[in-house]
């Protein structure tokens, strides 16, 4: 477990070696409490999952940045962005999601997140995830299960006997893991839900999983920090991918008539 002062080199080295790294203390206790309380407000109107992948006893908060300001700073945290840009290069947010695994939820199927993109393995990293723990993550309440080193697999697939590591971590910690790493949410055998937030980043030449330009109302996006606006999609991938009517997409936010 690394501390909030962890060097970028150290985290990137762990990602290259094992496919994951954990850093503790990126959220203070006050930030954890505030984020948890605000997400609980959102979760009151959030239904359970619709299939076995989402989890029938799991609630997921989509359109995260339309519904809470608790993760604006997390999305642009200097360590997170430094690591992400080292791994992916020019990037944007793809699928930020709040995830509350409820009591009685079963383990999620093992999978890797960049499988949605039709790029044969092996390949350079396309996706990097950060899982922000708002409760203590332990095996009993559904901490993420990881197949260490599986980011280097080509044709291999996990079997029921494949050993996994449980990514246990204290609230306020962050789990980094690559989009090529096999993993899955654990089963929650306790009587309390387990809450965390995934901030997923993807190389900016790839389409984002969630369309944030539509998911986050323009009047909300206008008030966000400029770097977060860029990560949501109001940006250009050099030299000019993503322009709007020949202009930088940020001009769309500056135009109050639209």
């Amino acid at each position: 477990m690394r501390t909030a002062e962890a060097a970028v080199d150290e985290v990137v080295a762990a990602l290259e070696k094992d496919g994951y790294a954990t850093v503790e203390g990126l959220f203070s206790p006050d930030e954890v409490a505030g984020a948890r309380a605000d997400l609980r407000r959102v979760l009151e109107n959030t239904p359970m999952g619709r299939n076995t992948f989402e989890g029938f006893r799991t609630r997921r908060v989509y359109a995260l940045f339309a519904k809470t300001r608790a993760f604006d700073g997390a999305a642009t945290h200097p360590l997170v962005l430094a690591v992400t840009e080292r791994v992916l290069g020019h990037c944007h947010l793809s699928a930020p999601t709040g995830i509350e695994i409820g009591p009685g939820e079963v383990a999620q199927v093992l999978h890797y997140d960049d499988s949605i993109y039709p790029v044969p393995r092996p390949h350079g990293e396309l996706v990097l995830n950060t899982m922000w723990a708002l409760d203590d993550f332990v095996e009993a309440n559904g901490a993420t299960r990881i197949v260490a080193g599986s980011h280097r697999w080509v044709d291999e697939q996990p079997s029921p006997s494949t050993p996994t590591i449980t990514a246990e971590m204290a609230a306020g910690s962050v789990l980094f893991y690559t989009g090529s790493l096999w993993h899955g949410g654990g089963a929650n055998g306790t009587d309390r839900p387990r809450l965390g937030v995934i901030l997923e980043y993807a190389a900016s030449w790839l389409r984002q999983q969630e369309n944030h330009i539509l998911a986050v109302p323009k009047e909300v996006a206008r008030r966000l920090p400029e770097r977060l606006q860029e990560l949501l999609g109001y940006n250009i991938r050099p030299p000019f991918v993503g322009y709007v009517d020949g202009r930088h997409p940020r001009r769309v936010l500056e135009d109050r008539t639209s």
Side-chain angles (χ1 to χ4, degrees), residues 187-226:
N188 187 349
T190 74
D191 60 358
R192 300 181 62 184
R194 187 229 74 185
L195 183 59
V197 167
I198 290 178
L199 299 181
E200 181 187 84
Y201 301 80
S204 60
W205 57 272
L206 294 165
R207 184 168 186 180
Q208 296 154 294
Q209 283 196 60
E210 185 163 33
N211 187 328
H212 305 298
I213 302 300
L214 296 178
V216 181
K218 200 175 296 182
E219 59 271 21
V220 174
R222 284 190 175 107
R223 298 194 295 269
L224 299 179
E226 183 175 300

Side-chain angles (χ1 to χ4, degrees), residues 66-139:
K67 299 171 181 176
T68 177
R69 302 274 59 81
F71 288 88
D72 293 1
T76 57
H77 189 284
L79 175 64
V80 170
L81 287 186
V83 170
T84 302
E85 289 166 0
R86 280 274 295 277
V87 174
L88 301 179
H90 199 276
C91 60
H92 50 199
L93 284 160
S94 182
T97 309
I99 301 177
E100 183 189 66
I101 296 181
E105 183 61 274
V106 300
Q108 188 184 40
V109 64
L110 294 174
H111 62 283
Y112 60 98
D113 291 332
D114 67 20
S115 64
I116 65 168
Y117 299 114
V119 179
R121 294 170 71 116
H123 53 65
E125 294 299 344
L126 307 176
V127 169
L128 184 66
N129 284 298
T130 60
M131 167 65 88
W132 295 72
L134 297 183
D135 293 309
D136 292 342
F137 277 36
V138 296
E139 184 173 6

